[in-house]
Amino acid sequence: MSTRAARLRLPVRREPYWQHFQEGRALGYRRIPGGKAGTWVARFYDAAGERVRKFHAIGTADDLLDADGMATLTFAQAQEAAREWFTALTRFQGRVAEPVTVKQAMAAYVTDYAARGGKALSGLESTINAHVLPRLGDRKVADLTTAAIRSWHRGLATTAPRIRQSKKPNAPKTVPKPVAADDAEGQRARRASANRILTVLKAALNLAFADGKVQSDDAWRRVAPFKNADSARIRFLTDAEAVRLVNAAGDGFRPMITAALLTGARYGELVRFRVADYNPEAGTLHVRTSKTGKSRHIMLTDEGKAFFTGQCAGKTGKALILTRPDGEPWGKSEQFRPMRAACEAAKITPAVGFHILRHTHASRLTMAGVPLGVVASQLGNSEPICAKHYAHLCPGYVADSIRAAFGPLGIVPASNVVAITG
């Protein structure tokens, strides 16, 4: 099998021709009828273990085309690829102390995430408890199959979205409704959620694989996320809608909406602002801790400075700038119901979430021609993320980028070209 000429003299047959490396390991060559190039395949047989044969397609032989080292391989390149596969299969043999379940793998991942300073620990735990453990928690990681994970992933995209229930006594329970088949945006949103949950599962299983608790990562590595699921068009409020929303909000929640529209800050950032973070001379707000773990300064307009000057009046430097009507700090997720009530009163349909106020701030800057790099600095995002969400709103952004990058070809139009008439 080592030369092209020798391989082409072999009779066509279904069973590959095998060359053995050592016991249980072999490289095979399969002749393909019809004058097509043959293929390389590796075979693994653990005679001392479970006595199960495993096969792995390596690539096309260089029978007709020169090898490129990727899709088309020489005999030597196929041997090297087979050895790499054998190594991956046997890398953790003998190191697995006991079967690890998905539940145990997820618990280890949560511990690792917390140790690395993860910012959304409670959200991660909620995702795992709601979507991963019910169906996969009791299964052994080593027993997971690609088909099982793919079925679970697809099931996430077809189940009804979860609904936040009221904590009030005797409050009626809201039954979640599946997304309608003709609701394209709803279907996209469910697929995007399924992809995010799949990412969590893969991260936990990859950690188990890296720690030597499972021998192979093939089962989940082959499960691909849904394509084009994260391409939602960003919703933002018009100036008229923003004014209506502020006017319609209750007195206790109106400052929070106003602050979000004037700064583009996240809810979690707004509730932590203290008087000392506001610099009236420079007209800035200091975000000490953001979602990304980086600090930044938000630039305020004259309207923004007037608003925050009023909110800080009479308060000490350590006092929170924005508080609930009773003077207590705003808690996690306490913005949902006031925001929904404000949208209903302002007749904004469909109702928007609080995060749309951040998009509104960014979209307004972008449409005014502010460079995306400046918008990214204001939001605390990377410029590529801002380009993904807001580039289509920027006047001339696409055209200017293409013209700056492409450059001239040096083609000079001929001066003696005239139009044909008649």
Side-chain angles (χ1 to χ4, degrees):
M1 298 192 300
S2 61
T3 66
R4 177 185 299 178
R7 291 194 302 267
L8 294 178
R9 289 196 297 267
L10 295 172
V12 174
R13 70 182 194 186
R14 183 173 183 179
E15 175 67 16
Y17 293 89
W18 297 104
Q19 181 172 86
H20 295 270
F21 289 84
Q22 63 188 79
E23 184 180 10
R25 294 162 176 78
L27 173 66
Y29 169 76
R30 180 182 284 115
R31 282 295 311 275
I32 305 298
K36 298 180 180 179
T39 58
W40 299 114
V41 60
R43 182 182 67 190
F44 176 83
Y45 174 50
D46 186 4
E50 300 179 354
R51 305 184 66 84
V52 175
R53 285 183 173 87
K54 296 182 179 180
F55 298 88
H56 176 63
I58 294 178
T60 303
D62 63 335
D63 295 342
L64 306 178
L65 299 175
D66 290 337
D68 59 11
M70 295 181 290
T72 305
L73 306 175
T74 65
F75 174 68
Q77 291 169 339
Q79 283 183 311
E80 183 62 28
R83 289 191 182 96
E84 291 178 358
W85 182 63
F86 297 144
T87 300
L89 282 179
T90 59
R91 186 175 4 171
F92 297 115
Q93 281 189 342
R95 292 176 56 190
V96 181
E98 59 181 347
V100 177
T101 64
V102 173
K103 183 176 181 179
Q104 292 171 323
M106 302 309 295
Y109 176 68
V110 170
T111 301
D112 179 75
Y113 180 85
R116 290 184 284 108
K119 299 295 183 180
L121 184 60
S122 61
L124 174 66
E125 292 175 327
S126 297
T127 296
I128 292 171
N129 293 332
H131 301 291
V132 179
L133 299 186
R135 282 195 57 182
L136 302 176
D138 294 333
R139 302 194 62 167
K140 296 177 182 178
V141 176
D143 294 340
L144 289 175
T145 63
T146 300
I149 299 174
R150 186 177 291 124
S151 174
W152 164 81
H153 178 229
R154 291 173 177 173
L156 294 174
T158 56
T159 55
R162 300 174 67 203
I163 296 179
R164 190 178 300 275
Q165 302 288 353
S166 174
K167 296 181 180 180
K168 295 181 180 179
N170 303 321
K173 297 295 183 182
T174 305
V175 179
K177 297 181 180 180
V179 178
D182 59 350
D183 183 0
E185 174 57 22
Q187 297 285 352
R188 183 212 60 78
R190 296 305 300 149
R191 290 194 295 270
S193 295
N195 284 350
R196 288 191 291 270
I197 300 167
L198 175 64
T199 299
V200 172
L201 176 68
K202 283 188 172 184
L205 299 183
N206 284 336
L207 178 64
F209 176 67
D211 288 343
K213 297 179 180 179
V214 61
Q215 294 183 358
S216 174
D217 61 347
D218 283 350
W220 57 88
R221 185 160 44 85
R222 294 172 179 170
V223 180
F226 293 109
K227 295 181 179 180
N228 302 320
D230 296 320
S231 56
R233 187 169 183 177
I234 297 298
R235 167 81 159 95
F236 61 91
L237 301 178
T238 64
D239 288 357
E241 288 176 323
V243 171
R244 288 209 321 267
L245 184 66
V246 170
N247 292 336
D251 293 341
F253 194 61
R254 186 178 296 120
M256 185 67 74
I257 293 179
T258 304
L261 288 169
L262 293 176
T263 64
R266 302 176 178 91
Y267 173 77
E269 297 168 344
L270 292 170
V271 300
R272 291 193 296 268
F273 279 136
R274 298 187 181 274
V275 172
D277 296 326
Y278 172 53
N279 186 331
E281 287 77 20
T284 61
L285 275 172
H286 185 199
V287 180
R288 299 181 184 274
T289 304
S290 68
K291 180 180 178 181
T292 60
K294 298 180 180 179
S295 65
R296 73 181 189 279
H297 287 86
I298 296 176
M299 305 300 161
L300 300 174
T301 62
D302 290 341
E303 186 180 24
K305 289 190 289 184
F307 169 77
F308 280 98
T309 297
Q311 291 295 312
C312 295
K315 297 180 181 179
T316 64
K318 295 182 178 180
L320 292 171
I321 297 179
L322 300 167
T323 59
R324 297 187 324 197
D326 59 4
E328 293 297 314
W330 285 98
K332 181 182 178 181
S333 304
E334 287 187 342
Q335 78 278 23
F336 286 106
R337 290 187 178 88
M339 187 69 185
R340 191 179 305 154
C343 288
E344 183 177 353
K347 293 182 170 42
I348 295 177
T349 306
V352 298
F354 191 86
H355 200 68
I356 296 301
L357 305 180
R358 175 175 167 86
H359 289 317
T360 299
H361 181 86
S363 299
R364 200 169 189 271
L365 289 176
T366 307
M367 288 186 291
V370 176
L372 289 176
V374 176
V375 177
S377 175
Q378 180 83 338
L379 297 183
N381 281 342
S382 66
E383 188 169 350
I385 291 295
C386 284
K388 174 183 176 182
H389 292 313
Y390 308 116
H392 68 286
L393 301 174
C394 185
Y397 174 79
V398 174
D400 292 343
S401 299
I402 291 175
R403 289 164 184 157
F406 191 74
L409 283 174
I411 300 174
V412 180
S415 59
N416 60 346
V417 176
V418 295
I420 298 176
T421 60

